[in-house]
Amino acid sequence: MARRDRYHFKEAGGFVVDATIKRGGEDAAFEIVPDPEVCVIFLKQHVGAPVQPLVGAGDTVVEGQKIGDSDEAMSVPVHAPVGGKVLRIVDAYHPVAGVPAPAVFIERSEDAALPVRLPAFEPGALDDTDRSELLAGVREAGIVGLGGAAFPAHVKLGMRDKVTRLVINAKESDPNVACDVRLKREKPADIVAGIQAMARLLGPNEIVFATRAEPGAFPELEARLARAGVTVAHIRPSYSVGSDKLLVKELFGLEVPCGSYPPDVGVVVHNVFTAYAVARALFAGEPLVSRGLTLISRQTGPLNLWVKVGTPLRHVLMHAGLDPTVYDRLAIASMLMGQSVPNPDVPTLKATAGICAFGPDEPSPYAKQLPCIRCGYCNLVCPVGIYPVLIMEAEKRGDVRRMKKLHAEDCIDCGLCSYVCPSAIKLTGHLRRAIRAVRQ
Amino acid sequence: MKHSAEVQYKMELSPHVHSGITKDALMLKTFALMCVPAVAAVFAMGTGALVHIALAVGTSLVCHFLVYFAELHATGSTSYPTPASPLVAGMIVGLSMPIAAPYYATAAVAALTMLLFKWLQGRVFGRKYINPAAASKVLLLVTFTLLAGLSEGLLFHPHHLRLDMWTAAGFDRAISFYDGRVGLPAIESLILWKDHGWIGGASGLAVLAVGIGAVLWLKLKWRIVMSLMVVMGTLSVLMALITGGSLAGRLAFHLFTGSVIFMGFFMATEPQSTPLTEGGQYVFGAALGLGTFFLQQLNVLGGSILVLVALNLLTPQLDRIGMHRSYGHGGDR
């Protein structure tokens, strides 16, 4: 049962997450997806306060121009991914929030002016660069955590006083995401430059690059990391260890207390793509307007694509030679944690690392849920050690006190409980409702 | 190609993929494992065992299809889409019956298991609080006892009532029953091969082997079995020391009879009616061992299911104790 290879991730309780769907993804070079006719840029693509639009309908914008910002500390600006004209600013379906949210629609123009760039720093002179300027550069580039959390990067990078360790999460533990691995192959210099910039900001005692790759899999990157004094930690193939809190435990044996975050135990975790984005922002002046992601469908297998933020999924699918109208379900981000989208006009976000297209011959495996048999598999597999089935029972009864006692709020929404459930029960839905009930 | 407005995808909560582990697969694996003690029983106990097993499985399947078609006809849907679970239920009934029980009793237990304690219990309570096979057997035992006395209540093992389990001599006389019956001394017979008692316990060693296999393969609630065995073993040793009898004999009898080892692995671990918390499972197993041991001492051999059903009813309370510590909570449980 527990086959051990790079595509069978071992989880708690002896269960295995099958990631063979992305086999071959690391060999698929990034293809640049041409800019779409119309980009849809949400004003909130991060954890924290939304931004206010800086443009209006009819305005002309150039690629890289800041089009939304906020005075709030916990916020990052958004930028125009293409040059052209602002068509409108209206509510559109937000794929993460699941509700309509304000978005800027920009029609691409062939004769737009050249992209604008942010002030760039000299990589070789990092030690002489003022840290506050670097931090402001990261913020101005609109960088968020690109592993999926979308936490403003400058906030975490500003925690110099409490942080002693910087961890770069290159585990790529989502079963459908291969773009991080590909990035390590294609952009090693930028990744290391980004890590060095982060280190300059945080001043950690230790920098750890966590990967599930075998030693020697990325010779150029490994050589650069070694020269930069970065420790490479080869972590066991596991899906759940991709979570920041669990990675901290895996690497250092530290548990992040309930209600706290890794910086509270002196660790900052950044995704490898975030490190790359930091390098591009600080040393090339590029705001975050594009990123790599992995598209997976039965027809194409895993494809690594370089896509402008705000590109409608329809455009991405069609670039890959797929007809968006023939699919039954479309999910963004992780297959285990990501959201369904209602139609192909939904755009990518900054933190969109994956797209999964499911055809009519791939119905939801949860379509026929059976009664719970209380086998306890969900408890065995839960990486944070809560009891999903007991929480589900309490949630059905509306017993908030019991849900609190069972620490429902500790759920990290990894989806493993549902994944292993023999009755195909979506426990995640019950857990989300339980979390809401506990927090109310 | 359709316009965007015309394309609507199905909206699903995550996750979007599944491991492929199914309830049916678990049931069929359980059934396959139980075939080992079933085959051993047929060799050790003869065709009578085969008839009991076939009768129990057959009755379960008949009841399943009756419910299946009745539900489909009445509501358009059914509680048990496949016969995998009834197969297991039937096999458990077959293996938990004493070889001396009349065939009608086996068929009756199987029918009660399926109709009353499996289907109706699930419909009424939304979950099975008590083990269907154990509850059916208890119901039949109580009914027989009330109607025809304790000998029938013990499912036709009246000689049990004459045993004295509290003295070394009495105990030796009890297990001497097994001496030479299958060409083996009593202790070896109890462990390896016997033609008396629960059909599922014909070979205690075979049950132990497949039980361990089930723990590893199906992730059974091993804490229940372990604490049951530890308590039974400890009490056996204590009793042997107190009475001065055979230690090996005590251990072989109290650990390897079908009502202990088969019940422990394949009935006491039934998932719906047993606790989910680790501490709850330890307490459940230990209490089961304690109760079973004293019932054995009182000559209610095979009475382990009485204790099992009683403990099943305590499962909701046991689920409130002995939770393991979750991530980030120091040691606050």
Side-chain angles (χ1 to χ4, degrees):
Chain A
M1 187 172 179
R3 286 164 294 176
R4 291 186 183 193
D5 64 43
R6 287 187 303 156
Y7 299 102
H8 289 94
F9 298 167
K10 182 117 190 292
E11 304 301 328
F15 293 95
V16 173
V17 168
D18 182 357
T20 49
I21 192 168
K22 70 174 175 185
R23 184 176 275 154
E26 60 205 50
D27 298 322
F30 280 114
E31 292 174 37
I32 295 174
V33 175
D35 294 346
E37 290 297 314
V38 175
C39 276
V40 183
I41 304 98
F42 283 100
L43 291 171
K44 187 173 189 312
Q45 301 192 37
H46 54 268
V47 174
V51 301
Q52 300 304 313
L54 303 175
V55 294
D59 287 355
T60 298
V61 294
V62 295
E63 181 185 328
Q65 177 182 333
K66 191 156 73 173
I67 58 172
D69 204 351
S70 164
D71 293 331
E72 298 288 333
M74 188 74 165
S75 189
V76 291
V78 292
H79 303 79
V82 293
K85 193 170 91 174
V86 176
L87 292 176
R88 55 190 180 276
I89 302 173
V90 294
D91 282 358
Y93 180 85
H94 193 292
V96 172
V99 292
V104 180
F105 287 68
I106 301 174
E107 184 179 43
R108 177 171 60 87
S109 170
E110 294 293 346
D111 54 356
L114 288 172
V116 291
R117 290 288 180 250
L118 301 164
F121 300 88
E122 182 58 45
L126 262 182
D127 289 344
D128 302 323
T129 310
D130 184 70
R131 278 197 296 271
S132 61
E133 286 181 32
L134 285 175
L135 207 56
V138 173
R139 186 197 178 279
E140 280 303 294
I143 298 173
V144 297
L146 296 180
F151 196 89
H154 72 280
V155 176
K156 282 206 278 188
L157 290 171
M159 296 176 171
R160 184 182 177 89
D161 293 342
K162 60 198 297 189
V163 168
T164 55
R165 287 165 163 148
L166 167 63
V167 174
I168 302 302
N169 186 351
K171 282 274 290 115
E172 199 176 69
S173 40
D174 284 325
N176 59 304
V177 173
C179 57
D180 288 358
V181 171
R182 193 61 209 173
L183 190 79
K184 286 188 279 188
R185 186 149 294 163
E186 292 192 19
K187 311 283 186 187
D190 283 324
I191 290 171
V192 176
I195 294 170
Q196 288 173 316
M198 289 174 159
R200 166 71 180 142
L201 284 164
L202 288 166
N205 300 331
E206 185 181 10
I207 309 169
V208 178
F209 188 91
T211 175
R212 69 181 168 88
E214 297 292 321
F218 300 95
E220 186 184 345
L221 177 65
E222 287 169 38
R224 286 177 181 274
L225 289 169
R227 284 199 294 276
V230 177
T231 305
V232 178
H234 297 278
I235 306 290
R236 65 192 165 93
S238 162
Y239 160 70
S240 52
V241 172
S243 151
D244 283 5
K245 288 183 175 181
L246 295 168
L247 182 58
V248 166
K249 183 166 187 186
E250 182 84 4
L251 288 170
F252 310 116
L254 293 172
E255 276 196 20
V256 181
C258 174
S260 303
Y261 296 93
D264 297 316
V265 293
V267 185
V268 155
V269 183
H270 277 291
N271 179 263
V272 65
F273 236 107
T274 314
Y276 169 80
V278 165
R280 297 306 299 168
L282 296 182
F283 307 128
E286 292 176 6
L288 181 56
V289 293
S290 66
R291 66 160 297 158
L293 56 78
T294 305
L295 166 67
I296 281 186
S297 71
R298 191 172 275 182
Q299 290 71 26
T300 60
L303 292 178
N304 291 316
L305 305 171
W306 205 273
V307 181
K308 285 284 174 65
V309 172
T311 300
L313 300 179
R314 163 189 290 272
H315 184 77
V316 180
L317 294 177
M318 290 175 70
H319 169 80
L322 302 175
D323 176 356
T325 64
V326 303
Y327 289 94
D328 261 14
R329 294 181 292 139
L330 212 59
I332 63 164
S334 163
M335 277 179 160
L336 283 165
M337 296 176 75
Q339 295 81 11
S340 279
V341 298
N343 61 60
D345 295 328
V346 172
T348 63
L349 304 173
K350 290 177 181 178
T352 303
I355 302 170
C356 308
F358 300 98
D361 56 341
E362 300 167 273
S364 168
Y366 300 90
K368 289 181 183 169
Q369 299 188 21
L370 298 169
C372 175
I373 56 170
R374 289 170 58 91
C375 59
Y377 281 13
C378 49
N379 306 333
L380 291 175
V381 79
C382 179
V384 293
I386 58 174
Y387 294 86
V389 65
L390 293 179
I391 295 171
M392 177 180 77
E393 289 172 0
E395 190 274 325
K396 283 181 177 175
R397 293 195 305 270
D399 186 346
V400 177
R401 195 172 161 190
R402 176 83 168 139
M403 288 182 244
K404 282 182 183 168
K405 177 76 181 163
L406 291 164
H407 297 305
E409 75 280 11
D410 289 343
C411 173
I412 56 170
D413 202 27
C414 65
L416 281 174
C417 50
S418 307
Y419 183 76
V420 302
C421 178
S423 296
I425 297 170
K426 276 208 172 158
L427 290 125
T428 37
H430 295 282
L431 289 164
R432 285 174 200 150
R433 285 194 290 277
I435 292 169
R436 281 199 295 273
V438 166
R439 288 179 180 164
Q440 274 172 3
Chain B
M1 188 179 293
K2 292 176 190 172
H3 291 293
S4 299
E6 297 170 1
V7 181
Q8 285 296 315
Y9 297 132
K10 288 175 186 163
M11 296 293 283
E12 295 273 350
L13 286 176
S14 63
H16 304 283
V17 285
H18 188 265
S19 61
I21 300 169
T22 65
K23 189 174 158 182
D24 275 359
L26 290 184
M27 292 296 164
L28 293 174
K29 284 176 184 174
T30 307
F31 184 80
L33 285 168
M34 285 194 296
C35 283
V36 175
V39 169
V42 174
F43 278 108
M45 296 176 167
T47 50
L50 182 63
V51 175
H52 276 289
I53 294 166
L55 203 56
V57 172
T59 306
S60 292
L61 289 175
V62 168
C63 292
H64 162 72
F65 284 113
L66 283 174
V67 169
Y68 178 86
F69 288 114
E71 280 190 327
L72 271 187
H73 180 72
T75 66
S77 65
T78 177
S79 311
Y80 297 97
T82 73
S85 177
L87 266 180
V88 172
M91 182 64 102
I92 287 175
V93 169
L95 295 178
S96 67
M97 294 302 286
I99 186 68
Y103 294 135
Y104 72 82
T106 298
V109 171
L112 283 172
T113 295
M114 286 303 299
L115 299 175
L116 190 59
F117 291 106
K118 199 167 167 65
W119 178 75
L120 193 62
Q121 186 182 189
R123 293 283 289 196
V124 173
F125 299 106
R127 164 184 160 188
K128 295 177 203 69
Y129 284 93
I130 47 176
N131 183 306
S136 308
K137 212 172 146 186
V138 167
L139 181 62
L140 207 69
L141 291 174
V142 170
T143 308
F144 278 10
T145 304
L146 292 175
L147 293 178
L150 195 54
S151 60
E152 280 76 8
L154 290 172
L155 280 180
F156 305 93
H157 284 292
H159 55 278
H160 290 174
L161 298 172
R162 296 191 298 272
L163 303 176
D164 176 12
M165 306 291 278
W166 297 99
T167 63
F171 180 77
D172 287 344
R173 268 197 302 280
I175 65 166
S176 68
F177 173 83
Y178 291 96
D179 219 3
R181 283 178 66 94
V182 292
L184 291 171
I187 293 172
E188 283 88 335
S189 175
L190 278 163
I191 295 170
L192 298 172
W193 208 244
K194 50 188 169 292
D195 63 352
H196 179 72
W198 281 30
I199 295 167
S203 172
L205 201 64
V207 176
L208 183 66
V210 295
I212 291 170
V215 166
L216 298 173
W217 197 25
L218 305 176
K219 305 182 196 303
L220 291 190
K221 294 173 178 172
W222 58 269
R223 291 175 186 85
I224 293 175
V225 190
M226 196 184 78
S227 52
L228 164 72
M229 292 302 190
V230 166
V231 167
M232 293 292 288
T234 306
L235 291 174
S236 303
V237 171
L238 285 175
M239 194 55 71
L241 291 175
I242 292 167
T243 62
S246 159
L247 177 61
R250 282 278 180 186
L251 284 170
F253 177 79
H254 288 294
L255 292 178
F256 284 93
T257 49
S259 61
V260 176
I261 198 156
F262 180 80
M263 183 275 301
F265 277 108
F266 290 104
M267 296 177 80
T269 57
E270 194 275 328
Q272 288 205 50
S273 54
T274 51
L276 285 161
T277 61
E278 289 76 2
Q281 289 174 26
Y282 283 125
V283 172
F284 187 95
L288 185 57
L290 209 59
T292 299
F293 188 88
F294 281 103
L295 281 181
Q296 285 183 341
Q297 288 299 111
L298 296 172
N299 299 333
V300 189
L301 306 184
S304 52
I305 51 165
L306 293 168
V307 189
L308 178 62
V309 170
L311 286 169
N312 285 160
L313 293 169
L314 293 176
T315 289
Q317 279 66 47
L318 293 175
D319 269 338
R320 291 177 179 268
I321 61 168
M323 285 185 277
H324 60 231
R325 187 181 66 79
S326 59
Y327 181 98
H329 283 275
D332 67 349
R333 283 189 183 184

